Amino acid sequence: MGEQSPDGGRKTAKATKKAAPAKRVTAEKGAVKKNDEKNPASAKKTASARKATPAKKTASARKAAPAKTAPGKKAASGGKSAAPVKKQAPAKKPAVAPKKATAAVKGVAPAKTVAPTTPRGESRTALVRRARRIDRELAEVYPYAHPELDFENPFQLVVATVLSAQTTDLRVNQTTPALFAKYPTPEDLAAADPEEVEEILRPTGFFRAKTKSVIGLSKVLAEDFGGEVPGRLEDLVKLPGVGRKTAFVVLGNAFGRPGITVDTHFQRLVRRWQWTAETDPDKIEAAVGALFPKSDWTDLSHHVIWHGRRICHARKPACGACPIAPLCPAYGEGETDPEKAKKLLKYEKGGFPGQRLNPPRAYLEAGGKPAPPLGAAG
């Protein structure tokens, strides 16, 4: 190994200066070859290192390949994760409890959220038969059922019915004798001093509003109907304080024209019996009316209302003393023990006076007692 000539050395230096960075790698390779010639052992290590480098690259490439396909796998797994959405089918099924069980839960109003065509899964025919059978049973229990307001003519009945709002028929019956004694005709009441009428009606509650209504309807009767109560629904509902309920009471009991009286008792019982799930009085009237012949409507109203006042109470129905218990879907909501249930009965069914001061003879013959006048003891 002799030394290079000065000219060769200068050429090499110039070539090195002009060479691109890539040529530096060539110079380094040349230096490695010289070292290999001097040291064979290091040459073997260098060769093995060169061979190992591609191997490592190949291994890392193999490992990198799955990394590229990983997003595909994640996407696939993402597709599979959508599968549980199909399993959410149970959410589509409305969890509707049986009406009997739901009715026993306080605060639940299934009729407001569920309105099936036929309650309890009954066919329309089965519902009609059950409803009519209940009415027949009640007709045997209350053969003397009648309007529980004392009246002698249509005018007295329409006034008494308006006064019965937010109070009992008993309280109205104890109040109207003094009112009709002083103002026997629509003309008399139309010309009355409001303050005097208010004082008479004070025991019925809301006496100012009721005074305004009865004086107002009396004026309309005197001015537009010749002092007579009209016998048509469309005319009655034009009177101040008169709605469909009051109109049907008057039509059914003063004129003999069938009508359904949807009061608070009627609404409660027809829903308990699952005749309808409606809550609006007009819709209840239509739904229940479709189950019965029109000729039965007035008596049906009496039967249902009487049963609601005497046995099927709002808070504690006397289930154990109910004559239609086998037909009632709501049996068990109240007291089922017969002896305890008997103590919950009211009016003639419990041995107490009724609501009318002058009840019909049939009621008295059946063991009913007249109500005491206002201020009387007992």
Side-chain angles (χ1 to χ4, degrees), residues 4-277:
Q4 293 182 355
S5 64
D7 293 336
R10 282 195 295 270
K11 288 180 181 179
T12 304
K14 289 179 182 179
T16 304
K17 288 180 182 180
K18 292 179 181 180
K23 293 181 179 180
R24 292 177 184 173
V25 176
T26 306
E28 290 176 358
K29 288 182 178 179
V32 170
K33 286 181 180 179
K34 290 181 181 180
N35 292 332
D36 289 346
E37 291 175 0
K38 293 179 180 179
N39 192 351
S42 63
K44 291 181 181 180
K45 289 181 181 179
T46 303
S48 63
R50 287 173 186 170
K51 292 179 181 179
T53 302
K56 288 181 180 179
K57 289 181 179 178
T58 304
S60 61
R62 289 175 183 172
K63 290 180 181 178
K68 291 180 181 179
T69 58
K73 289 183 178 180
K74 287 182 180 178
S77 63
K80 291 180 181 179
S81 64
V85 176
K86 296 181 180 179
K87 294 181 181 179
Q88 293 177 355
K92 295 180 182 179
K93 297 180 181 179
V96 180
K99 288 191 175 292
K100 185 174 181 181
T102 305
V105 181
K106 294 182 180 180
V108 175
K112 294 181 181 178
T113 56
V114 181
T117 305
T118 52
R120 301 200 316 162
E122 290 177 315
S123 66
R124 180 70 179 178
T125 301
L127 174 60
V128 170
R129 288 176 178 173
R130 183 169 63 87
R132 294 185 181 184
R133 184 179 174 188
I134 287 176
D135 184 45
R136 290 195 300 271
E137 295 284 345
L138 294 179
E140 294 181 5
V141 177
Y142 309 107
Y144 43 78
H146 56 271
E148 294 192 271
L149 290 170
D150 284 324
F151 69 98
E152 297 177 357
N153 53 58
F155 171 63
Q156 291 187 359
L157 180 57
V158 70
V159 170
T161 307
V162 169
L163 296 179
S164 67
Q166 305 299 319
T167 190
T168 63
D169 288 355
L170 171 61
R171 183 60 69 188
V172 174
N173 292 334
Q174 292 174 330
T175 304
T176 50
L179 179 69
F180 296 138
K182 192 169 185 178
Y183 312 105
T185 67
E187 292 81 2
D188 294 328
L189 191 52
D193 181 354
E195 292 185 358
E196 293 181 2
V197 177
E198 286 178 2
E199 194 59 33
I200 296 174
L201 301 184
R202 185 180 293 272
T204 65
F206 303 96
F207 57 90
R208 291 190 179 88
K210 291 179 179 179
T211 296
K212 185 178 180 180
S213 293
V214 298
I215 290 179
L217 71 85
S218 297
K219 288 180 178 179
V220 174
L221 291 176
E223 296 172 1
D224 299 343
F225 297 97
E228 299 293 332
V229 176
R232 300 194 310 165
L233 175 65
E234 53 268 34
D235 292 330
L236 284 170
V237 294
K238 293 178 182 178
L239 301 177
V242 177
R244 290 179 67 86
K245 184 190 81 169
T246 297
F248 280 128
V249 170
V250 175
L251 290 173
N253 297 286
F255 295 97
R257 296 177 183 175
I260 294 178
T261 304
V262 184
D263 72 348
T264 181
H265 301 288
F266 194 94
Q267 293 184 48
R268 181 178 71 253
L269 267 63
V270 298
R271 285 198 295 269
R272 276 184 178 169
W273 295 337
Q274 297 181 11
W275 288 1
T276 180

